Amino acid sequence: MRVQRQTLAKILVVVFVFNLAVMGAGAWFAYEEAPPMPDRIHGPDGETVATTADIQDGKAAFQQYGLMNHGSILGNGAYYGVDYTADALELKTQYMQEYYADQRYGTAYDDLEAGERAAVDERVTEDLGNDQPSENAIPYSEAEAYAHEAVRQDYVERYHEGDSERGVPAGMIDSEEEASQFADFALWTAWAAHTDRPESTHTYTNDWPYAPLSGNNPIGAAMTWSVISMVLLVAGAGFGVWLYKSIELPEPDTEGFDVPSPGEFDLYPSQQTAVKFIPVAALLFVGQVALGGLLAHYYVERDAFFGVTTLFGVNIVEVLPFSMAKTWHLDLAILWIATLWIAAGLFLPALVTRYEPKRQQTYVRGLLGALLVVAVGGLAGVWLGANGYIGGDLWWIFGNEGLEYLEIGKFWQAGLLVGFALWAVLVARALKPLLVEESRYGLAHMILYAGGSIGLLFTAGFLFTPTTNIAVTEFWRWWVVHMWVEGAFEFFIVAVVAFTLVSMNLLSYRSAEKAVLVESLLVMGTGVIGVSHHYWWVGMPDMWVPIGSAFSTLELIPLVFILYEALGQYRTFDASGKEFPYKLPFMFIIASGVWNFVGAGVLGFFINLPLINYYEHGTYLTVGHAHAAMFGAFGFLALGMAIYMLQISTADWSGRRLRWAFWAWNVGLALMVFVSVLPVGFLQLETAFVENYATARGLAFYNQDIIQWLFWARLPGDTLIIIGTLIFGYDVVAKLRNQREADTPAESPDEDGYPRRVPSESDD
């Protein structure tokens, strides 16, 4: 099947507009259908229990003190602590049981006979079902008012006074009042979880979390759309294979083309500076994996590190609690991957254009300096904000915004956004010869679109504040987090890999354009709307269940396509019999495709089945999916690009140490995911199904012997990943000491400023 590039470009525009219309309508519904925040919650005597201000201040405390990276809310966040929504609902239910047991029978709930317990449980369920707001207020029964105050006391003791058994340091929340307000916020999310939407048979969270006593059970749509998703899986996988075999996409051609050796490339001053981004990324990477090891061990010893409670007179948990270590772990992961992608975008254009704009090196140096300022400032601000050193309303601007993957303050986020814009300008300058002569859907344009879309989606993070309804906050947060992953990042992968093949003279420029257009069409056609699987249980309208399940399933198609493409490219090189000089960086690109398919495709599809996700949401199965997809897919691609840059810029090249790192990373990641993380997740899934969700996320579950043994089983895999990263860091420093001298750049695009393989309009 022969498809013209112009046709593909037009279809891509239509798909983009369709995505924009669907998600734009979703944004409107997010505001209209979010769980209402009442003026007040009151008891049967009219006495105010909590107000809107209390709930909003509680959400602010939740963000400021990094509680989303200790536990989770509505299933989103970290899994070390409890899910606050499920925990608040469970505690509220238990205290209501105790209240009615004492009121009716004068004894503790656990001492009641079976029939008496059933009567109490029935009354509790009835109370929880009668909380529909009236006149913008939520009416509580006496039992609920009693339970609300009891949960407040529990949260003050746990999150203000500290709880070493849970890994909570004293003063995690600075004051009793803020801890009490945090309880108000958690209890309001619990109210949304057990209260039916008006004119609906299920709650604002589609009856999530699973808590039978409160009336929460899987909705029928979860089962129906899970079955439909399974059907779509088979059809989607088959369609992906058929499409790959049917569309005439070019494979790299090792015959008739001379693959340039690293020394044949001119190395310009701006490229030399771009390579300096790599040791910065390596340093961030080392810090990230070291914190990852600490986080894994905290699940075994919640108040110590290998038996060491205090080091040099400093309590480890007090200085670097799980929430802070997790925050930095996530931020460093984003930063080192982004740093390498930024470097690749600055380095690759000159390999094709053989041109460097005037003062490009100076501007690249400035961007590197700005990146360091934002990285150091953002990470420091997180610690200062969470520890109360940034007062007033400035904590979320200069300190810790406290939302998973969006931890750094808005000021530093704005700095990153400006950095994206400056990067796009520098890349456009470097690509000028191509941008001038090619069409708007050309390869150089596609790279700019991909990079620009990363920055564009980041703006969604500026559409909420700490006082915004958490359901709306989560709507926009997932625009940034998962549209990056399923839209912009995948787009960037295919564009950069294609550009790399062009620079190697293995793929014609026009052929690369077609490949990028086809794969981008598949990514944009499935991934953008597919983000809506994150909206099922967070207070968004239930229309997202059918939409999210269908498009999440279809996300498998581009992943199948990309995997086949990568394997096909590798087979071409392997069968050529020629000495391919870039086999090592291409090994990383292949690994990226494989882990992308495994992590985002296989594991992502499994946990995104609505019925599975209902019980699994916020468990260790998500941890396995996240690590395989984030490090396996995006991390390996970034590392492959870094090694390609190093190979071109190093005088005496040796890839021996980097091969060791490659296998240490791959084996380590496989051991971590398949030997430790996923088994814990499956046991959690079983516990949630057999008992309830709160139990699966409780401390007692994590303290079981088998779970503790599985946590220890992470040690070999984590150790290999750390060793691989240290080898990489050492090798980067060693290679930079042996960097090639820079060549003199062409004075203008007219002086030898065209691609090695000049585009031909007939090459379709």
Side-chain angles (χ1 to χ4, degrees), residues 630-662:
M630 186 71 173
F631 178 44
F634 306 123
F636 275 117
L637 175 69
L639 291 166
M641 293 295 101
I643 292 167
Y644 183 48
M645 292 186 286
L646 285 171
Q647 188 169 357
I648 291 172
S649 61
T650 303
D652 296 318
W653 170 259
S654 171
R656 182 169 53 92
R657 286 190 293 259
L658 291 172
R659 282 188 175 85
W660 295 347
F662 174 83

Side-chain angles (χ1 to χ4, degrees), residues 111-178:
D111 295 333
L112 296 178
E113 299 292 335
E116 294 170 337
R117 287 188 186 183
V120 167
D121 291 348
E122 184 179 358
R123 180 57 192 272
V124 169
T125 303
E126 182 183 345
D127 275 8
L128 293 175
N130 290 328
D131 283 353
Q132 286 290 346
S134 59
E135 297 180 357
N136 210 22
I138 295 175
Y140 266 1
S141 67
E142 290 183 3
E144 287 179 290
Y146 166 81
H148 191 111
E149 183 57 37
V151 175
R152 275 177 171 167
Q153 293 304 313
D154 281 353
Y155 274 41
V156 168
E157 292 172 7
R158 189 189 299 176
Y159 298 110
H160 171 63
E161 297 174 10
D163 187 338
S164 60
E165 186 180 12
R166 295 178 179 273
V168 179
M172 184 175 186
I173 294 181
D174 192 50
S175 68
E176 287 188 23
E177 180 183 14
E178 289 173 303

Side-chain angles (χ1 to χ4, degrees), residues 137 203 282 285 374 384 394 515 546 623:
T203 72
F285 193 10
V374 171
L384 293 170
L394 299 179
V623 176

Side-chain angles (χ1 to χ4, degrees), residues 66 68-71 77-81 166-167 172 286-306 316-317 319-333 404-405 407 620 623 627 672 676-677 702 708 710-712 714-715 718 722:
M68 197 172 194
N69 276 324
H70 180 88
Y79 311 141
Y80 178 71
R166 295 178 179 273
M172 184 175 186
V286 169
Q288 190 233 339
V289 297
L291 287 170
L294 174 63
L295 292 171
H297 191 75
Y298 268 148
Y299 279 91
V300 178
E301 288 184 280
R302 290 184 173 244
D303 60 348
F305 182 69
F306 287 100
I316 294 172
V317 177
V319 174
L320 195 60
F322 185 94
S323 58
M324 184 57 59
K326 173 83 183 320
T327 296
W328 282 347
H329 177 70
L330 288 178
D331 288 349
L332 288 171
E404 191 182 30
Y405 294 104
E407 285 86 1
Y620 247 61
V623 176
H627 280 80
M672 182 227 289
S676 174
V677 172
Y702 288 127
Q708 289 294 300
L710 287 170
F711 285 147
W712 277 110
R714 272 192 68 163
L715 189 60
D718 287 0
I722 293 171

